[in-house]
Amino acid sequence: MEILIKASQFVLSLSILIVAHEMGHFLFAKLFKVRVEKFYLFFDAGFSLFKFKKGETEYGIGWLPLGGYVKIAGMIDESMDTEQMSQPPQPWEFRTKPAWQRLLIMVGGVLVNFVLAFFIYSMILFVWGKEYIPVQNAAYGYEFSQTALENGFRNGDKIIAVDGVSYDMLADLTEQIIHGGAKNVTIERDGERMDIALPYDFSAQYSSSKDKVFASPLYPFVIDKTQSGSPAAKAGLQSGDIITAVNDHPTPTAGLFMGEAKNNADKKINLTIERNGMQETMDMTVSESGTIGVYCQLPTKILKSERIEYGFFESIPAGIVYGVDILSNYVGNLGKLFNKGGLKQLGGFIAIGNIFPAEWDWLSFWTMTAFLSIILAFMNILPIPALDGGHVLFLLFEMITGRKPGDKFLERAQIVGMVILIGLLLIANGNDIIRLFSR
């Protein structure tokens, strides 16, 4: 049942995003009077599950859920319809339109995905508000960035004030420290208050580092639920159990426990937990990936959180800022793919499906859908042939130089791009299969 719920959310989310993306291409094509021959959710290689024709366009649902497409007349795309391209150009074809119109048709899908993500984030804030942990409620202190640690902070420090001013939200406090020219931070360490003097170049140090966040709240590893058949489930771990030690090494925070689990991958461990105020121990074997098969409760459930409510018009700019922050973090993390073993971090359909919760929750569903919409938009605009970004790259070349790439070149580029994408798809889904059988 858990797999079915996750799969249902994934398919629905993917369908929404694909239709929205292809609708962006479709609308701009119609705006510039370009004929759209097909509009498909999923690919119809060989046959389709459902189709009908209205006007000049065939609408349908394919059987291969690897994406979707619109077949635009007079364009070299994934359909590789070279026969049409050998015919004399027609006024209703893509290739006869000015370069700026073709550019807008190509970026239409990416544009709609970005707009959709910002709209969803805005509506999330409007309907559910924004939950955050006040600075004073970080009972276990904070885990600090490397730059902060190098300048006198220690993991577990509680932040009291910045230049004598107390802050409720960590984001405001961080802004003052990083960009506000803060000189002094008052912290509590081991029950005692002390001041940390920040160097004049702290902002420059932080900006030039690889740090993504200045600090994040520490919290204990409280089990939300266990995965069926996992080491944790077999050992009898339950929702609400607090993991306090691994092999007698204290793990008062979630990060310390996950670190110990990684260090003991594929090994037998003795786990100490707190259940209903009493300590218990149990033995289990950690998986090869360094996990025991449990979900941790969110910090907003463990630490006392607050909620900000947004009006409709307030939610729109706040949603855009939220989306931009998510995009910035995602782009920053892409650099990890170029590290040693980076390709092993790629995930396919199983990995994406697993980000959805095991129970249907609309807040989680829309949050994940907005996140995937941003990913889809960004990945599609990358300058890789066969993606929208590849077409955009060639169009920009044409607009700058006044020379249009030949059809043969575009056909070969499309083939190269498709080979690259299929290769990445095989690697990502292959990683999923390896992880599945290595548990």
Side-chain angles (χ1 to χ4, degrees), residues 83-131:
E83 182 179 345
Q84 183 184 73
M85 300 300 294
S86 66
Q87 304 298 317
Q90 301 297 323
W92 36 262
E93 287 187 331
F94 176 84
R95 55 180 164 167
T96 62
K97 300 299 177 180
W100 69 270
Q101 291 185 5
R102 286 181 276 135
L103 180 64
L104 287 175
I105 292 172
M106 291 317 307
V107 300
V110 168
L111 180 63
V112 168
N113 278 130
F114 275 130
V115 170
L116 177 62
F118 296 149
F119 174 76
I120 293 174
Y121 281 132
S122 298
M123 292 304 97
I124 287 173
L125 294 178
F126 174 61
V127 174
W128 286 282
K130 182 179 181 180
E131 194 171 13

Side-chain angles (χ1 to χ4, degrees), residues 241-369:
D241 288 346
I242 304 172
I243 298 177
T244 59
V246 175
N247 294 335
D248 293 327
H249 294 140
T251 57
T253 65
L256 286 174
F257 163 68
M258 289 187 282
E260 285 291 332
K262 288 284 185 185
N263 292 337
N264 287 278
D266 203 27
K267 296 178 182 178
K268 190 174 182 178
I269 61 170
N270 179 262
L271 201 67
T272 305
I273 65 164
E274 182 181 316
R275 178 181 295 171
N276 299 325
M278 303 291 289
Q279 280 201 343
E280 296 184 23
T281 60
M282 53 187 65
D283 295 327
M284 67 182 67
T285 301
V286 181
S287 71
E288 289 184 3
S289 60
T291 62
I292 62 171
V294 293
Y295 295 101
C296 180
Q297 286 186 12
L298 295 175
T300 50
K301 287 187 177 182
I302 301 170
L303 306 174
K304 188 178 179 182
S305 62
E306 300 287 344
R307 188 180 298 276
I308 302 174
E309 303 292 341
Y310 291 86
F312 180 79
F313 293 106
E314 292 175 312
S315 69
I316 296 174
I320 293 173
V321 171
Y322 189 8
V324 170
D325 287 343
I326 294 293
L327 175 62
S328 299
N329 290 334
Y330 176 73
V331 173
N333 287 329
L334 277 182
K336 295 179 181 178
L337 292 178
F338 300 99
N339 296 335
K340 184 179 179 180
L343 286 177
K344 293 182 179 178
Q345 300 178 34
L346 283 176
F349 295 117
I350 295 176
I352 297 172
N354 276 331
I355 69 175
F356 288 93
E359 297 175 357
W360 197 290
D361 177 77
W362 284 111
L363 174 57
S364 297
F365 172 80
W366 287 117
T367 300
M368 292 299 101
T369 299

Side-chain angles (χ1 to χ4, degrees), residues 123-438:
M123 292 304 97
I124 287 173
L125 294 178
F126 174 61
V127 174
W128 286 282
K130 182 179 181 180
E131 194 171 13
Y132 72 99
I133 299 168
V135 173
Q136 60 271 23
N137 291 352
Y140 299 86
Y142 287 91
E143 182 175 14
F144 292 92
S145 65
Q146 186 60 36
T147 304
L149 294 173
E150 291 171 356
N151 283 278
F153 291 89
R154 290 185 189 173
N155 290 332
D157 287 350
K158 299 175 184 178
I159 304 175
I160 306 301
V162 178
D163 288 336
V165 179
S166 298
Y167 290 86
D168 187 49
M169 297 186 70
L170 180 62
D172 296 334
L173 180 150
T174 299
E175 178 68 21
Q176 187 63 26
I177 291 176
I178 304 302
H179 303 295
K183 298 178 180 178
N184 188 76
V185 180
T186 303
I187 58 103
E188 180 182 315
R189 180 182 296 167
D190 299 328
E192 295 185 9
R193 289 198 177 191
M194 60 181 68
D195 293 331
I196 296 177
L198 297 178
Y200 73 93
D201 64 341
F202 184 82
S203 178
Q205 287 184 44
Y206 186 86
S207 299
S208 62
S209 72
K210 296 181 180 180
D211 297 335
K212 296 296 183 292
V213 293
F214 171 73
S216 55
L218 290 169
Y219 55 94
F221 197 105
V222 182
I223 295 174
D224 186 31
K225 61 182 65 175
T226 61
Q227 297 175 341
S228 178
S230 67
K234 293 175 181 176
L237 284 173
Q238 301 174 8
S239 175
D241 288 346
I242 304 172
I243 298 177
T244 59
V246 175
N247 294 335
D248 293 327
H249 294 140
T251 57
T253 65
L256 286 174
F257 163 68
M258 289 187 282
E260 285 291 332
K262 288 284 185 185
N263 292 337
N264 287 278
D266 203 27
K267 296 178 182 178
K268 190 174 182 178
I269 61 170
N270 179 262
L271 201 67
T272 305
I273 65 164
E274 182 181 316
R275 178 181 295 171
N276 299 325
M278 303 291 289
Q279 280 201 343
E280 296 184 23
T281 60
M282 53 187 65
D283 295 327
M284 67 182 67
T285 301
V286 181
S287 71
E288 289 184 3
S289 60
T291 62
I292 62 171
V294 293
Y295 295 101
C296 180
Q297 286 186 12
L298 295 175
T300 50
K301 287 187 177 182
I302 301 170
L303 306 174
K304 188 178 179 182
S305 62
E306 300 287 344
R307 188 180 298 276
I308 302 174
E309 303 292 341
Y310 291 86
F312 180 79
F313 293 106
E314 292 175 312
S315 69
I316 296 174
I320 293 173
V321 171
Y322 189 8
V324 170
D325 287 343
I326 294 293
L327 175 62
S328 299
N329 290 334
Y330 176 73
V331 173
N333 287 329
L334 277 182
K336 295 179 181 178
L337 292 178
F338 300 99
N339 296 335
K340 184 179 179 180
L343 286 177
K344 293 182 179 178
Q345 300 178 34
L346 283 176
F349 295 117
I350 295 176
I352 297 172
N354 276 331
I355 69 175
F356 288 93
E359 297 175 357
W360 197 290
D361 177 77
W362 284 111
L363 174 57
S364 297
F365 172 80
W366 287 117
T367 300
M368 292 299 101
T369 299
F371 176 61
L372 291 176
S373 189
I374 281 182
I375 292 177
L376 180 62
F378 179 78
M379 297 303 289
N380 260 285
I381 205 62
L382 292 176
I384 299 174
L387 291 178
D388 296 342
H391 293 285
V392 168
L393 179 66
F394 297 138
L395 281 167
L396 289 175
F397 173 82
E398 178 184 344
M399 294 172 74
I400 293 170
T401 65
R403 292 183 296 164
K404 184 177 180 180
D407 288 346
K408 285 294 183 184
F409 171 81
L410 293 176
E411 288 173 18
R412 294 191 183 108
Q414 186 75 13
I415 293 171
V416 170
M418 290 176 69
V419 169
I420 293 173
L421 294 179
I422 291 172
L424 289 173
L425 190 66
L426 291 173
I427 291 172
N429 286 283
N431 287 342
D432 281 354
I433 294 171
I434 292 171
R435 294 186 194 109
L436 189 64
F437 287 99
S438 63

